[in-house]
């Protein structure tokens, strides 16, 4: 007998399949806990039935506020099996920020690892003993609620650096195709092992960790990032493919004198921000057995490009070619396509694009075109071979004295200075020039501004050299590891 909705792609599909194909294979590890595919399939069905028993109906939203832990994949799959929509919430947000997301999304239930309270949801289920009791009292039968593959599986909220967060509607089809492409590109299939390093409440962290259980691999949960813990886990669990952001590599470099040999590791892939060339060269040396991919994308667009290992050194500074089934345009301010070597705004079209912003048609219209392309607001240059390099965010370009300064040009040179470990360059108001170039630095020790200026003037045009240097203990970042330049601009 045919199951209703069984022909459509849903994010519960892989767990259903491998719960039968490889029931005894470990799907998820979390410290001394582990769960097989059979158990993951059953427990996710119990989550689904438990939620439906609360009176929820197809399309209702369920918020999940927790970090990386064993329960995350089963809850996500259970929400999908029930035909509901996941609303992942960053546990580091303040109560007012959490309540905005709960209210804007219309979440009716909150599953939480912690003590958050809210009057905006009808029920709160705490992950722990109460959650386990709730599962035991729920049916283990898969409810098989019909779900259209173009229906949203989640509403992922952006960081909200330019106002209230926007809820990105991501379809089952979008993510399932991402999972399959990930398995093809980075080897996340049966018999493979990976680690959930980036937080699963963020789009990329979820996509690359959940891809493992969707495609029959094993994922180990890293609850808190510490360089030594990550390296120990790679060795212990014999991880083969690991997703990192540049900040992770920077922290490993600062904390570990020498990275130990990791014979199982064959693939590293980076996202969130461009790998500075100096740091990328260190990655090559520290992980000599791993092919290094550098990819580019966004919550709204999914993965857009990938720089693959054969070109990783030759095209350092690039993010590669368009990913599977992806078209790109590079256009000027009048939407005319620009040629090789000229900067322009990047638009992409692919099956990974969002459905739009939840309850925000104006914002959706502002970033999409009538023929289905979407921009994430980045300026890029495409070379004669089609390799794409990110120049900067449209909103981050500094106009000083009528001349454009792309912060990344300055940042790359600053990062090559031996005293600078991290940096961010922003534009700040200036009565004479309109904007002045200001550099925020994380350094290994005291750095004299005149020394830095002399260093930069040998390597950059004078108008690009910062007018001010400000040393900070750390740069503000969002959950994806991206630097929040808006917060720097507001620093007194």
């Amino acid at each position: 007998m045919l199951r209703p909705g069984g022909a459509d792609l849903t994010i519960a599909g892989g767990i259903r399949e491998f719960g039968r194909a490889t029931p005894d294979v470990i799907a998820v590890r979390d410290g001394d806990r582990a769960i097989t595919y059979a158990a993951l399939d059953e427990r996710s069905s119990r989550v689904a039935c438990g939620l439906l028993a609360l009176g929820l109906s197809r399309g209702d939203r369920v918020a999940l506020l927790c970090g990386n832990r064993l329960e995350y994949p089963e809850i996500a799959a259970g929400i999908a099996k029930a035909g509901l929509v996941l609303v992942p919430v960053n546990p580091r947000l303040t109560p007012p920020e959490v309540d905005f997301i709960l209210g804007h999304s219309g979440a009716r239930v909150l599953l939480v690892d912690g003590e958050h309270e809210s009057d905006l949801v009808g029920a709160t289920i705490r992950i722990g003993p109460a959650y386990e009791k709730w599962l035991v009292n729920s049916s283990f039968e898969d409810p098989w609620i019909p779900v259209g593959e173009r229906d949203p599986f989640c509403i992922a909220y952006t960081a909200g650096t330019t106002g209230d967060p926007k809820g990105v509607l991501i379809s089952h089809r979008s993510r399932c195709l991402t999972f399959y492409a990930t398995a093809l590109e980075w080897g996340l299939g049966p018999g493979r092992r990976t680690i959930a390093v980036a937080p699963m409440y963020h789009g990329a962290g979820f996509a690359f960790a959940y891809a493992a259980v969707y495609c029959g691999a094993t994922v180990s949960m890293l609850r808190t990032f510490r360089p030594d813990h990550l390296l120990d886990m790679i060795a212990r669990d014999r991880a083969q493919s690991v997703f990192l952001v540049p900040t992770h590599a920077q922290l490993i470099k600062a904390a570990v004198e020498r990275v130990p040999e990791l014979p199982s590791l064959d693939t590293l892939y980076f996202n969130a921000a461009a790998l500075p060339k100096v740091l990328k060269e260190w990655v090559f040396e520290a992980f000599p057995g791993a092919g290094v991919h550098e990819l580019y994308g966004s919550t709204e667009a999914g993965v857009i490009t990938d720089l693959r290992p054969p070109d990783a050194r030759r095209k350092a500074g690039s993010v590669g070619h368009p990913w599977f089934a992806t078209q790109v345009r590079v256009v000027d301010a009048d939407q005319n396509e620009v040629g090789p070597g000229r900067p322009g705004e990047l638009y992409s079209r692919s099956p990974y694009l969002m459905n739009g912003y939840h309850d925000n048609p104006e914002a959706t219209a502002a970033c999409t075109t009538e023929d289905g392309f979407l921009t994430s607001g980045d300026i890029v240059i495409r070379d004669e071979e089609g390799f794409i390099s990110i120049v900067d965010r449209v909103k981050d370009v500094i106009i000083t004295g009528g001349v454009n300064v792309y912060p990344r040009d300055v940042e790359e040179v600053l990062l090559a200075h031996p005293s600078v470990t991290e940096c961010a360059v922003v534009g700040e108001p200036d009565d004479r020039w309109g904007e002045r170039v200001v550099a925020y630095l994380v350094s290994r020790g005291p750095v004299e501004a005149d020394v830095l200026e002399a260093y930069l003037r040998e390597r950059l045009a004078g108008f690009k050299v910062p007018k001010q240097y400000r040393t900070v203990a750390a740069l503000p970042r969002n959950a994806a590891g991206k630097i929040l330049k808006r917060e720097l601009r507001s620093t007194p």
Side-chain angles (χ1 to χ4, degrees):
M1 181 176 122
L2 291 175
R3 294 284 191 181
D8 281 332
L9 294 169
T10 83
I11 71 155
I15 288 171
R16 284 168 167 153
E17 293 159 14
F18 288 100
R20 290 152 182 75
T22 56
D24 298 326
V25 168
I26 299 296
V28 186
R29 296 186 187 278
D30 181 3
D32 59 0
R33 300 191 299 162
I35 184 172
T36 65
Y37 271 97
L40 177 57
D41 188 24
E42 179 187 316
R43 285 170 65 89
S44 60
S45 291
R46 290 182 183 275
V47 170
C49 292
L51 291 170
L52 293 172
L54 294 174
L56 274 64
S57 302
R58 183 176 180 273
D60 283 345
R61 271 77 73 188
V62 177
L64 174 57
L65 195 162
C66 79
N68 291 359
R69 56 180 298 154
L70 181 142
E71 290 83 1
Y72 213 112
E74 70 188 32
I75 292 171
I79 290 170
K81 285 183 175 182
L84 307 172
V85 180
L86 169 68
V87 181
V89 185
N90 179 351
R92 297 170 61 187
L93 296 179
T94 64
E97 290 171 319
V98 172
D99 282 347
F100 172 84
I101 291 173
L102 297 179
H104 187 267
S105 67
R108 293 189 55 196
V109 173
L110 171 65
L111 290 107
V112 59
D113 178 11
E115 299 301 320
H116 186 85
E117 299 286 350
S118 178
D119 297 329
L120 298 175
V121 295
T124 297
I125 300 166
R126 302 199 182 284
I127 300 172
Y131 171 81
E132 293 299 327
K133 183 177 179 180
W134 177 66
L135 287 189
V136 168
N137 292 328
S138 300
S139 172
F140 62 86
E141 293 286 346
D142 189 329
W144 284 95
I145 301 299
V147 177
E149 62 183 35
R150 296 182 186 274
D151 292 344
F153 95 84
C154 88
I155 306 175
Y157 279 81
T158 61
T161 57
T162 56
D164 285 333
K166 296 189 286 289
V168 182
L169 293 161
I170 302 173
S171 71
H172 286 271
R173 182 174 184 265
S174 160
R175 277 301 172 263
C176 291
L177 293 176
T178 298
F179 300 151
Y180 285 135
T182 296
L184 178 62
E185 187 78 78
W186 300 299
L188 289 182
R192 297 280 290 183
R193 298 170 297 278
T194 189
I195 297 175
V197 180
M200 291 188 70
Y201 52 78
H202 183 267
F206 181 88
F208 300 137
Y210 195 90
V213 295
Y214 189 85
C215 296
T218 299
V219 60
S220 296
M221 295 290 167
L222 183 68
R223 292 207 179 196
T224 303
F225 181 81
R226 277 182 45 187
D228 54 339
H229 285 186
L230 173 60
L231 298 175
D232 288 346
M233 187 180 287
I234 293 173
R236 184 195 70 202
D237 294 353
R238 296 175 293 117
Q240 297 150 309
S241 300
V242 177
F243 165 62
L244 301 173
V245 301
T247 304
H248 293 141
Q250 187 65 59
L251 291 171
I252 295 170
K253 180 183 178 183
V256 179
E257 186 173 330
R258 181 178 177 276
V259 174
E261 290 187 14
L262 300 168
S264 66
L265 187 65
D266 58 37
T267 304
L268 284 172
Y269 45 115
F270 288 86
N271 191 16
L275 264 175
K277 294 176 183 177
V278 173
L279 182 60
K280 190 168 188 176
E281 195 59 40
W282 177 85
V283 170
F284 292 143
E285 295 170 3
F287 301 92
V292 177
H293 293 253
E294 190 168 358
L295 50 143
Y296 159 76
S298 67
T299 303
E300 291 88 342
V303 178
I304 299 172
T305 67
D306 179 25
L307 180 64
R308 297 178 170 101
D311 299 302
R313 267 199 166 96
R314 184 174 73 91
K315 291 292 183 177
S318 164
V319 290
H321 285 107
W323 210 39
F324 303 113
T326 299
Q327 296 173 275
V328 300
R329 285 179 185 160
V330 182
V331 301
D332 61 20
D334 297 319
Q335 295 295 301
N336 299 312
E337 291 211 41
V338 301
R342 293 182 56 199
E345 188 170 352
L346 178 70
Y347 283 74
S348 68
R349 182 169 64 182
S350 76
Y352 319 116
L353 299 189
M354 67 173 180
N355 287 4
Y357 291 116
H358 177 60
D359 278 351
N360 198 338
E362 296 82 7
T364 303
C367 66
T368 54
T369 65
E370 290 185 1
D371 57 348
F373 280 80
L374 178 147
T375 180
S376 297
D378 288 315
I379 297 173
V380 308
I381 290 176
R382 184 164 40 182
D383 71 13
E384 295 285 353
E385 297 179 74
F387 286 87
I388 293 169
S389 297
I390 308 302
V391 175
D392 246 306
R393 301 284 293 166
V394 169
K395 65 185 179 184
D396 289 337
V397 174
I398 302 165
I399 304 175
T400 180
V403 180
N404 286 0
V405 173
Y406 297 110
R408 193 180 173 201
D409 289 348
V410 185
E411 290 162 355
E412 283 282 0
V413 178
L414 277 169
L415 288 167
H417 191 281
S419 296
V420 178
T421 58
E422 293 186 284
C423 69
V425 172
V426 301
E428 295 186 358
D430 186 276
D431 291 339
R432 180 178 182 185
W433 301 107
E435 285 186 294
R436 63 179 177 273
V437 181
V438 178
Y440 287 81
L441 311 172
V442 178
S443 64
R444 294 184 175 87
V447 184
E448 298 295 333
D450 57 346
V451 173
L452 271 182
E453 181 161 343
Y455 176 84
L456 291 176
R457 285 192 178 279
E458 292 179 359
R459 296 161 174 83
L460 291 171
F463 66 88
K464 296 182 181 181
V465 175
K467 298 292 190 292
Q468 287 180 284
Y469 302 89
R470 296 174 184 161
T471 302
V472 294
L475 298 172
R477 297 179 184 274
N478 65 14
K482 294 183 180 180
I483 296 170
L484 301 176
K485 290 191 173 182
R486 179 182 174 87
E487 292 190 13
L488 292 174
R489 293 188 192 98
S490 64
T491 301

